[in-house]
Amino acid sequence: MPFLDETVARKAVRICVVDDELISLNIIRAVLARVDSYDVESFSSPLKALARCKEATFDLVLIDYRMIEMNGIECVSKLRCLAEYEHVPIIMLTADNERELRLAAVRAGATDFVNKPFDPEELRVRVRNLLSLREAQVALLDRAKHLDYEVKYITRKLAEREEELIWRLSRAIDTRDGSTGQHISRVAILAQIIARNLGMSPDYCRTIYLATPLHDTGKIGISDAVLNKAGRLTEQEMAEIRRHTEIGANILQDGESDLLKMAHEIALFHHEKWDGSGYGHGLSGEEIPLSGRIVAVADVFDALCSERIYKPAWPFEEARAEIARQSGKHFDPKCVAAFDAGIAEIRKAYSQDAKSFETSVQN
């Protein structure tokens, strides 16, 4: 598994010093330069320092309070507004011991104080302590990123396996009534196109694309003699065929994922009709879940366009006209309008290799 490498060596510690008194600036640089691992950049202008901090992330910043362009508290406030400096330690250098000033500096985001004139050893100790804190903080962030990567990787692999199982199961079921398996691919594509043209979210469109292939899962419980009968079905045989919605719903019920919940919904309701004359529960209008209304259009259109042992395939335009005629009767008018809005894509699905179109739709 390609997890992140936690052994990558960390770069040299980077320190930014901001003080418009050149003597003070040079002394601080000299004190910190004695530590080989410190990469120190100094600025006499707080504006230039802030500009540099937008380009690079330092591990520690030392800022003088009294400066001409802006005081240290203002500089700290602006620095904390940068996303990369939300948690970077900041030392305020000040000759003032006023309580209100120090409170204002802490509120602005200062982490620690060093009094001027400062003791070199004290400065080194404070810098070292804050850098240790920063190192622990960065290590924690790196670990969090590492764990996030692992979780996303594992989640993606589980999703891929779930999708593979869905397609294999649905294609196995689809072959029972004489189909080649392309029916479920095309119906899934059509359902996604309709959902997208209804303005549904990308997550919803992706879920309906993956849930739709299971719409006829219940056919696994219907006898071959009825499924593959070439002639007209008797009333008793029609009743058996209609049981596939309940059988499929029972197989798919109690799923915990959004995908399986939608698959259950589609299996149960994709033969309902807008005017209430359909079957499983005889629902009408918006009583029928949206996923069922969408798949009803997609399923019927592809069934019309597909050759079966009991009928020839309809020409594309005749099947399209039939969908339009059934708007407000069999189908939700909004779903029919969304179907028509995506007709260029749908025509493409029926005029090229379904597998290649399926790949382009998923991406």
Side-chain angles (χ1 to χ4, degrees), residues 131-173:
L131 286 173
S132 294
L133 177 65
R134 173 64 175 168
E135 184 179 7
Q137 176 192 88
V138 170
L140 185 61
L141 290 173
D142 286 348
R143 181 59 181 164
K145 290 178 181 177
H146 176 81
L147 291 174
D148 182 60
Y149 176 88
E150 290 185 11
V151 169
K152 287 179 179 177
Y153 178 85
I154 293 170
T155 301
R156 186 175 69 252
K157 296 304 291 184
L158 288 173
E160 289 172 357
R161 288 170 186 170
E162 183 180 41
E163 291 173 21
E164 181 182 5
L165 286 171
I166 285 172
W167 284 104
R168 289 183 183 277
L169 173 63
S170 56
R171 287 194 172 108
I173 294 167

Side-chain angles (χ1 to χ4, degrees), residues 203-352:
D203 281 347
Y204 183 96
C205 294
R206 179 66 177 166
T207 301
I208 200 169
Y209 173 79
L210 293 171
T212 296
L214 294 172
H215 69 285
D216 278 339
T217 297
K219 285 183 178 179
I220 200 171
I222 307 301
S223 69
D224 289 339
V226 173
L227 271 182
N228 298 313
K229 184 176 178 179
R232 183 180 293 275
L233 298 178
T234 66
E235 285 295 323
Q236 184 177 358
E237 289 168 338
M238 278 300 301
E240 182 177 351
I241 282 285
R242 288 175 175 174
R243 288 181 54 241
H244 84 274
T245 58
E246 293 289 344
I247 295 170
N250 289 336
I251 292 171
L252 296 169
Q253 69 182 351
D254 300 325
E256 294 184 1
S257 70
D258 291 339
L259 175 55
L260 284 178
K261 288 176 182 177
M262 185 180 287
H264 169 266
E265 191 175 79
I266 291 170
L268 187 58
F269 297 116
H270 71 284
H271 282 292
E272 301 287 357
K273 295 185 179 180
W274 184 255
D275 63 5
S277 64
Y279 66 90
H281 291 272
L283 303 181
S284 63
E286 293 188 357
E287 292 178 335
I288 308 166
L290 178 60
S291 62
R293 286 180 265 151
I294 290 172
V295 174
V297 176
D299 187 34
V300 170
F301 180 79
D302 190 73
L304 292 174
C305 290
S306 301
E307 183 180 355
R308 293 288 189 267
I309 58 173
Y310 52 85
K311 75 166 191 69
W314 286 33
F316 184 93
E317 289 302 329
E318 287 185 23
R320 178 186 178 187
E322 178 63 17
I323 296 298
R325 277 193 295 271
Q326 292 297 325
S327 178
K329 291 181 280 187
H330 189 152
F331 307 122
D332 176 354
K334 291 181 180 178
C335 291
V336 174
F339 168 85
D340 205 51
I343 201 65
E345 274 190 281
I346 293 168
R347 194 185 306 281
K348 187 177 181 182
Y350 284 82
S351 62
Q352 70 179 60

Side-chain angles (χ1 to χ4, degrees), residues 102-117:
R102 289 183 174 247
L103 284 175
V106 171
R107 292 190 188 102
T111 311
D112 199 359
F113 298 90
V114 170
N115 292 329
K116 296 176 70 175

Side-chain angles (χ1 to χ4, degrees), residues 77-142:
S77 295
K78 291 182 181 296
L79 197 59
R80 287 299 187 207
C81 289
L82 303 178
E84 296 297 326
Y85 285 84
E86 185 179 0
H87 302 294
V88 172
I90 299 175
I91 294 177
M92 177 74 74
L93 305 170
T94 177
D96 297 291
N97 288 312
E98 293 181 16
R99 179 174 177 274
E100 289 304 317
L101 183 150
R102 289 183 174 247
L103 284 175
V106 171
R107 292 190 188 102
T111 311
D112 199 359
F113 298 90
V114 170
N115 292 329
K116 296 176 70 175
F118 53 82
D119 177 87
E121 184 57 29
E122 180 189 359
L123 178 62
R124 279 194 290 268
V125 170
R126 288 183 182 273
V127 166
R128 185 169 62 245
N129 288 345
L130 287 177
L131 286 173
S132 294
L133 177 65
R134 173 64 175 168
E135 184 179 7
Q137 176 192 88
V138 170
L140 185 61
L141 290 173
D142 286 348

Side-chain angles (χ1 to χ4, degrees), residues 34 42-44 50 58 69 158-159 188 211 263 313 320 322 324 330 351:
R34 295 181 182 179
S42 58
F43 300 88
S44 58
L50 288 170
F58 292 92
E69 289 182 339
L158 288 173
R320 178 186 178 187
E322 178 63 17
H330 189 152
S351 62

